[in-house]
């Protein structure tokens, strides 16, 4: 078995996962039974539940529990159903976050060694696609070099990771400006905590109104900086940036003090975004594409 993991059982039927160097993790019997990963309980492909949660008895409990090399084996009472929970899955239950935090921030110096993959590798293997999307996730963007200078080549590349959506915007080639929103938010938090809090708390709307007769607006408003809840004295983790000043809608309904608070914070925010060291300007050339996420 993995010697770094062990279990204990509580009198209330819950199970405690013990790992050296970590806080104990307590999981209820019902929660574990509801998340049984066996193919009879969960579709191996779609990961959808195959067992109705509410047919599980309220008093379901572990009849036998065993630490094994690959995970925790539980035999359930009253039906003797057997489950094996892998240690890495159990470890993941420590946090409600599904957001990956191995992110890297960049500034203008990224121009020396920007994240990049080749068209050939991306198109020839799934591992190439994984490398591509991993770099987009970690850095916020990635170039693909060697793309055929044709509409068909570009379409084939895009369809490796997404479907193509029609847009009502036209565009022309030019220099692209990339700014790391996550890095800028951390600078804002450090230099002006009150402004950071304002952009985390005040919700605003955006709109998209390109051509005549087209006006798109989300159903609800969102803050510029979306974070998870802060835990145990640690700063709240940033998980999304929503900022497009050109497409910011009116702030109808917001109290005057909140509107003024937003503008004060937004002014500082934009000042950080526009600092020369924040900006990475790049001119795309034929055969090189750009995919981006948090910028």
């Amino acid at each position: 078995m993995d010697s770094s993991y062990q279990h204990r059982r509580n009198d209330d039927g819950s199970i405690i996962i013990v790992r050296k160097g970590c806080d104990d993790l307590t999981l209820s019997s019902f929660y574990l039974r509801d998340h049984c990963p066996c193919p009879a309980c969960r579709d191996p492909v779609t990961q959808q539940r195959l067992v109705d949660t509410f047919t599980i008895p309220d008093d379901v409990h572990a009849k036998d529990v065993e630490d094994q090399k690959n995970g925790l084996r539980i035999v359930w009472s009253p039906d003797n159903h057997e489950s094996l929970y892998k240690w890495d899955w159990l470890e993941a239950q420590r946090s409600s976050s599904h957001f990956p935090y191995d992110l890297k921030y960049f500034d203008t110096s990224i121009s020396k060694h920007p994240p990049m993959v080749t068209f050939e590798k991306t198109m020839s293997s799934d591992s190439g696609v994984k490398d591509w999307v991993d770099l987009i996730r970690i850095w916020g963007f990635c170039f693909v070099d060697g793309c055929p200078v044709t509409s068909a080549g570009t379409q084939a590349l895009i369809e490796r990771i997404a479907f193509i959506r029609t847009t009502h915007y036209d565009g022309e080639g030019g220099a692209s400006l990339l700014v790391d929103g996550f890095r800028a938010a951390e600078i804002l938090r450090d230099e002006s905590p009150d402004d950071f809090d304002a952009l985390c708390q005040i919700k605003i709307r955006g709109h998209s109104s390109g051509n005549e007769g087209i006006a798109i607006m989300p159903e609800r408003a969102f803050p510029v900086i979306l974070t998870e809840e802060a835990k145990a004295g640690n700063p709240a983790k940033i998980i999304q940036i929503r900022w497009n000043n050109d497409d910011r809608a009116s702030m109808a309904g917001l109290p005057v003090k909140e509107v003024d608070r937003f503008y004060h914070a937004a002014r500082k925010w934009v000042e950080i975004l526009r600092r020369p060291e924040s900006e990475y300007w790049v001119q795309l050339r034929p055969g090189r594409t750009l995919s981006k996420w948090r910028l």
Side-chain angles (χ1 to χ4, degrees), residues 16-79:
I16 304 171
I17 307 300
V18 181
R19 185 185 185 191
K20 186 176 181 180
C22 298
D23 293 336
D24 292 350
L25 170 67
T26 302
L27 299 171
S28 75
S29 290
F30 194 95
Y31 177 83
L32 285 168
R33 179 62 187 88
D34 184 42
H35 287 78
C36 175
C38 82
C41 294
R42 190 173 291 266
D43 188 288
V45 177
T46 67
Q47 294 299 300
Q48 290 180 303
R49 284 185 176 83
L50 301 178
V51 173
D52 183 347
T53 297
F54 306 102
T55 63
I56 300 172
D58 285 339
D59 61 352
V60 66
H61 60 278
K63 180 178 180 181
D64 183 55
V65 185
E66 179 186 4
D67 300 326
Q68 295 190 345
K69 180 179 180 180
N70 295 327
L72 188 70
R73 173 184 170 272
I74 300 179
V75 178
W76 296 103
S77 179
D79 61 356

Side-chain angles (χ1 to χ4, degrees), residues 205-220:
R205 293 182 182 274
H207 68 86
S208 180
S209 306
N211 298 337
E212 184 179 355
I214 296 177
I216 303 169
M217 181 177 288
E219 182 179 358
R220 52 172 292 196

Side-chain angles (χ1 to χ4, degrees), residues 206-248:
H207 68 86
S208 180
S209 306
N211 298 337
E212 184 179 355
I214 296 177
I216 303 169
M217 181 177 288
E219 182 179 358
R220 52 172 292 196
F222 295 91
V224 173
I225 303 172
L226 184 63
T227 67
E228 291 192 333
E229 293 182 8
K231 298 179 181 177
N234 295 318
K237 293 179 178 178
I238 299 166
I239 59 176
Q240 189 176 52
I241 302 293
R242 292 173 176 267
W243 179 254
N244 181 348
N245 193 56
D246 294 344
D247 287 338
R248 177 167 47 80

Side-chain angles (χ1 to χ4, degrees), residues 124-143:
S124 64
S125 68
D126 289 343
S127 64
V129 174
K130 182 180 184 301
D131 291 344
W132 182 20
V133 296
D134 276 349
L135 287 171
I136 295 172
R137 175 178 59 80
I138 292 169
W139 287 102
F141 73 102
C142 181
F143 295 110

Side-chain angles (χ1 to χ4, degrees), residues 166-173 210-211:
T166 301
T167 176
H168 58 274
Y169 290 110
D170 294 323
E172 297 180 358
N211 298 337

